[in-house]
């Protein structure tokens, strides 16, 4: 089965990054992996809603050889639980200065900014997005963030925007079709 999802060729070229090899992607949480709303209970606990599409996209990204990284300005048990449930190995919580925490992480991974994609929705994400080889923003992102993004998703944050970014990066890297095909195989090795 051939992929039904298509992106314009010029966008696929941009999504490869300037060195034709995006190796990691940084994602914000509030406004990207969630719709940006924060529900606070009587006891002060916060609740967030995450999209299963986004979660599977992050897992596919990792399977496709592009390291997903979470850098969020807030810290909460809900976010830590979601990151753990997805098996993501690289996450920074409560980052007041996202660039200050991203650079040592990229150094540790042996990556330079042209090899990194970044997805954010508001001003704290701008330092990452302007340095990244490829930048994505969800449809409802702030105007200044949309202005620096190479791609603005059709989907809203928390409603598949991160998945759209993941699919785009995988397609640009030439890994999307193989991942799709592997999901179509049945346990006996045949196709449905």
């Amino acid at each position: 089965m051939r992929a039904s999802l298509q992106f314009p060729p010029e966008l696929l070229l941009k999504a490869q990054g300037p060195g034709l090899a995006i190796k990691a992607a940084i994602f914000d949480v509030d406004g990207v992996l969630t719709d940006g709303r924060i529900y606070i209970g009587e006891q002060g606990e916060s609740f967030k809603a995450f999209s299963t599409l986004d979660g599977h996209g992050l897992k596919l990204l990792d399977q496709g050889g592009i390291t997903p990284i979470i850098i969020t300005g807030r810290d909460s048990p809900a976010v830590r639980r979601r990151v753990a449930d997805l098996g993501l190995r690289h996450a920074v919580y409560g980052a007041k200065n996202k660039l200050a925490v991203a650079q040592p992480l990229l150094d540790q991974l042996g990556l330079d900014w042209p090899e990194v994609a970044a997805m954010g929705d508001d001003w704290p994400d701008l330092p990452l997005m302007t340095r990244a080889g490829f930048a994505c923003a969800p449809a409802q992102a702030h105007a200044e963030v949309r202005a620096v993004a190479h791609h603005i998703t059709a989907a809203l944050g928390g409603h598949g925007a991160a998945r759209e970014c993941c699919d785009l990066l995988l397609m640009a890297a030439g890994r999307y079709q193989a991942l799709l095909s592997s999901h179509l195989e049945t346990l006996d090795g045949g196709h449905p």
Side-chain angles (χ1 to χ4, degrees), residues 1-6 171 176-177 180:
M1 174 181 168
R2 297 292 308 158
S4 299
L5 183 63
Q6 299 292 319
M171 201 169 275
Y176 184 91
Q177 184 62 49
L180 175 63

Side-chain angles (χ1 to χ4, degrees), residues 74-126:
R74 296 178 58 91
D75 191 0
S76 75
V79 174
R80 286 181 180 264
R81 171 72 185 266
R82 183 65 174 148
V83 169
D85 286 351
L86 294 173
L88 303 180
R89 298 176 310 277
H90 305 287
V92 179
Y93 309 95
K96 300 297 180 228
N97 179 333
K98 292 185 178 188
L99 183 59
V101 299
Q103 189 61 59
L105 182 55
L106 295 183
D107 292 344
Q108 175 189 345
L109 294 170
L111 298 174
D112 292 321
W113 283 104
E115 301 171 298
V116 176
M119 185 170 195
D121 72 311
D122 209 344
W123 291 12
D125 304 309
L126 287 170

Side-chain angles (χ1 to χ4, degrees), residues 18 20 29 44 46 52 62 65 79 81 105 111 115 163 173 176 187:
L20 302 180
V29 173
S46 65
T52 57
D62 199 29
V79 174
R81 171 72 185 266
L105 182 55
L111 298 174
E115 301 171 298
R163 175 62 177 270
Y176 184 91
L187 291 176

Side-chain angles (χ1 to χ4, degrees), residues 32-33 51-59 82 158-163:
V32 173
L33 298 181
S51 167
T52 57
L53 285 173
D54 292 339
H56 192 65
L58 291 168
K59 289 164 70 171
R82 183 65 174 148
H159 297 278
R163 175 62 177 270

Side-chain angles (χ1 to χ4, degrees), residues 10-98:
E10 61 275 7
L11 179 58
L12 289 170
L13 284 173
K14 283 182 189 175
Q16 291 175 347
L20 302 180
I22 293 294
K23 296 178 181 168
I26 299 171
F27 295 87
D28 178 34
V29 173
D30 294 321
V32 173
L33 298 181
T34 74
D35 65 7
R37 294 185 290 177
I38 299 168
Y39 300 93
I40 300 175
E42 282 183 23
Q43 308 302 318
E45 69 277 21
S46 65
F47 301 93
K48 299 170 188 280
F50 296 94
S51 167
T52 57
L53 285 173
D54 292 339
H56 192 65
L58 291 168
K59 289 164 70 171
L60 288 172
L61 200 66
D62 199 29
Q63 291 170 18
I66 300 172
T67 303
I69 300 168
I70 303 298
I71 298 180
T72 178
R74 296 178 58 91
D75 191 0
S76 75
V79 174
R80 286 181 180 264
R81 171 72 185 266
R82 183 65 174 148
V83 169
D85 286 351
L86 294 173
L88 303 180
R89 298 176 310 277
H90 305 287
V92 179
Y93 309 95
K96 300 297 180 228
N97 179 333
K98 292 185 178 188

